[in-house]
Amino acid sequence: MASGEPFRLSVLEGVLERVTYANEETGYTVARVDTGRGGDLVTVVGALLGAHPGESLRMEGRWTSHPQYGRQFQVENYTTVLPATVQGIRRYLGSGLVKGVGPRLAEHIVNHFGAEALDIIEHTPERLMEVPKLGPKRTKIITEAWEEQKAIKEVMVFLQTVRVSTSLAVRIYKKYGDDAIRVVREEPYSLAADVWGIGFKTADAIAQAVGIPHDSPQRVKAGIQFTLSESTGDGHCYLPEETLISEAVKILQVDSALVIDCLAELVAEEGVVREKLPDRDGETVTGIYLLPFHRAETALANQLRALLNADQDRLGAFADVDWDRALSWLRSRTGAELAPEQEKAVKLALTSKVAVLTGGPGCGKSFTVSSIITLAAAKRAKIVLAAPTGRAAKRLTELTGHEASTVHRLLELKPGGDASYDRDNPLDCDLLVVDEASMLDLLLANKLAKAVPPGAHLLLVGDVDQLPSVGAGQVLRDLLAEGSPVPSVRLTQVFRQAAKSGVVTNAHRVNTGRPLLLEGMSDFFLFPCEDAEAAAELTVDVVARRIPRRFGLDPRRDVQVLTPMHRGPAGAGNLNALLQEALTPARPGAPERRVGGRVFRVGDKVVQIRNNYDKGANGVFNGTLGTVTAIDPVEQELTVLTDENEEVGYDFAELDELTHAYALTVHRSQGSEYPCVVVPMTTSAWMMLQRNLLYTAITRAKKLVVLVGSRRAIAQAVRSTAAGRRHTALDHRLGRWSQSASA
């Protein structure tokens, strides 16, 4: 080659036979292509975003040699070429690319129209009605799917330069429609706010590609809001101004003076809220809030004040009740005596309009709640019960004999997240009991409080020593803070029956920083193993073979692996892959769907990983568990039966909302109980090893706990109290009112 002559890319044409690996985040794909020249399939690697098996591709790139996998074609860019032969068209249509068309229907269409089939779908789709057994409904589905596919392809070709994944391109298109390319070009940072799965970093890469300067105020303001949004994922409702500025500088790599100027502009535009607050040392700190969190925190404090202060009392019958007589009647109904703490809690819940009941396992929270409900029901009170998760609601129903629902279903959340029940349309109840209240984040607690009618009683029940909510805030802890006007009772007495349980005993020992008791326990075991990879293999063996053999438990239904973190050999990601292979392996002829590096199969345990208000009757929420019951390659839909007994359909483009749930992080398990819990504890999760994490994991088990892993890691978790508190000001807002009320 003459010097200075540009390097020319090679061209490879062929039909994409199968995708062997695809990374949804980077778009990196390994696939096999049939070049039509006979012989072996060719391996191609690179960003084949949006390419589907069955498509004819024209690829530009370079031939390379891999030391392990041999000769490969490295794809730099590609275009889709519509097949011209009858056989190619039949294969293309039947590949699952066009929603509503499977292999059989593809054959009918191609048999009828021959080589003109694609042209007819493109230009005169109404003629599809000529195909036998193809009615107007199916024709409409095929036409819409074809148009959407074309539009998505356009968006994807445009996004190829910044390596945005297929599923994100689909989302961008569904959010903005024909306006997608304009928004991406002109307002890339709005993607981070509008499209789930696109964070600031992806939006920033797109912005860079379309020529937005590094120091653009548009970029810096978006970066500040991103920094605040990220902090809500760590549980913070606000960030101190200094912390925010230094974090934003790190992320944006710009001068701090520019961040300070853009922050001032954001405050003036009401894009964020600045407020002076007391910090934990009593000093004043300047807090910066995203608007929704400031509104929610202020509104929740005001609403709790209004409920506590209400003139009417919908349980007024208990204001002057003869408690000796009432408790004697209760004793005759239940056959059990209330402990003094439980008595106090019963009286409080029925006489105070807002109250909190907290306590650890075995302290009789459930019996206390049941007693409160029995007494309220005797006075014909309208009782409503709720919990943050489907499993917790189910448990509350079983415990009380009264129907309980999830908080989301109770409020009838609508698409977009607004509730049907609110201050203008409150719930019809005299007593609202919410279990597992430690899980209530600020936004949900605010929605719930708004729906309580004036004069009704709100009882929040939960274990404050568990991990705080996944979302921002620490509502239960703030309500129990010193100076809070909300009355509370903490149950501390462990009952004799519960004290015999290794699960209860060790939960309390962990909570008070004492080492575990393992000798002579029939429901609490440790399999010691220091190496993280060996611990992962042992965990799979314990779940799939040892527990079913010894205790007769079903490994998918009854056993839940809870791990401190997602990454690493003994993290949820790797364990899910290993457990799926052990419990739900691939079966010849059984449908499955690959999404990036994951494969979904019928029978898989799955969990929803974002709030989606548009799914199901009243939305499907972060942490909702379920089982895959069907995969339909033609309709491109996967069906999940949730733990609320609701069948929910997922389009294949939405499957990044689901992940496998054979192993969950402890954080994601909150509000759920399982017959058996298996907890891998390794030193590779050192930063996550904290007392409230191990305590939460143990208290998720009803009958049996098995720890697998390092004695050193367990000792570290027992010793280590949780790191610094979350930045919240609900306790301050409530305490301030309490002080002014008593003045």
Side-chain angles (χ1 to χ4, degrees), residues 688-739:
M688 300 295 292
L689 297 176
Q690 290 173 350
R691 188 179 296 173
N692 60 352
L693 184 131
L694 181 56
Y695 174 76
T696 302
I698 293 170
T699 56
R700 300 304 86 207
K702 285 194 269 193
K703 296 177 183 169
L704 177 65
V705 172
V706 181
L707 302 182
V708 179
S710 159
R711 293 181 186 273
R712 191 165 149 248
I714 293 165
Q716 167 65 12
V718 171
R719 273 197 311 271
S720 177
T721 52
R725 79 182 268 279
R726 297 176 166 195
H727 293 298
T728 73
L730 180 63
D731 56 346
H732 156 67
R733 295 181 199 283
L734 285 167
R736 187 171 60 190
W737 170 68
S738 177
Q739 287 158 15

Side-chain angles (χ1 to χ4, degrees), residues 607-621:
V607 59
Q608 175 81 10
I609 57 172
R610 66 168 290 222
N611 289 343
N612 187 334
Y613 297 99
D614 301 326
K615 284 218 163 293
N618 298 112
V620 182
F621 298 92

Side-chain angles (χ1 to χ4, degrees), residues 107-267:
E107 198 158 326
H108 288 316
I109 293 170
V110 176
N111 286 349
H112 194 83
F113 294 118
E116 292 182 331
L118 296 182
D119 200 52
I120 281 162
I121 296 174
E122 172 79 39
H123 297 112
T124 52
E126 63 280 2
R127 285 192 60 196
L128 287 170
M129 299 275 288
E130 296 171 19
V131 179
K133 299 179 182 173
L134 199 56
K137 190 177 172 187
R138 181 66 62 182
T139 299
K140 186 168 179 274
I141 290 171
I142 294 168
T143 307
E144 285 173 356
W146 183 265
E147 286 300 316
E148 185 173 283
Q149 199 61 41
K150 262 184 19 194
I152 288 168
K153 272 275 188 283
E154 266 186 63
V155 174
M156 289 198 63
V157 168
F158 177 69
L159 292 174
Q160 224 173 19
T161 51
V162 288
R163 301 196 166 193
V164 172
S165 72
T166 314
S167 59
L168 291 186
V170 171
R171 283 223 177 90
I172 290 169
Y173 174 74
K174 288 196 168 169
K175 175 71 184 174
Y176 303 113
D178 294 340
D179 207 27
I181 290 175
R182 186 200 62 77
V183 171
V184 170
R185 273 205 183 103
E186 296 173 17
E187 304 165 40
Y189 292 106
S190 63
L191 298 174
D194 295 345
V195 182
W196 181 78
I198 294 187
F200 175 78
K201 287 173 186 169
T202 305
D204 201 31
I206 297 169
Q208 200 176 343
V210 299
I212 289 175
H214 187 73
D215 59 355
S216 152
Q218 182 190 355
R219 177 176 184 264
V220 176
K221 286 177 190 177
I224 291 169
Q225 289 180 312
F226 167 74
T227 307
L228 284 170
S229 181
E230 282 287 277
S231 76
T232 66
D234 295 327
H236 301 302
C237 298
Y238 70 88
L239 279 182
E241 188 168 17
E242 287 178 13
T243 308
L244 171 61
I245 291 165
S246 70
E247 290 295 316
V249 166
K250 265 189 241 166
I251 289 166
L252 293 162
Q253 296 292 297
V254 295
D255 191 69
S256 60
L258 181 58
V259 172
I260 292 166
D261 289 347
C262 287
L263 176 57
E265 281 180 37
L266 267 176
V267 172

Side-chain angles (χ1 to χ4, degrees), residues 82-116:
L82 290 177
T85 67
V86 166
Q87 190 185 351
I89 292 168
R90 186 182 289 119
R91 174 100 202 276
Y92 177 77
L93 274 180
S95 67
L97 177 69
V98 183
K99 191 172 181 175
V101 182
R104 193 171 293 171
L105 187 51
E107 198 158 326
H108 288 316
I109 293 170
V110 176
N111 286 349
H112 194 83
F113 294 118
E116 292 182 331

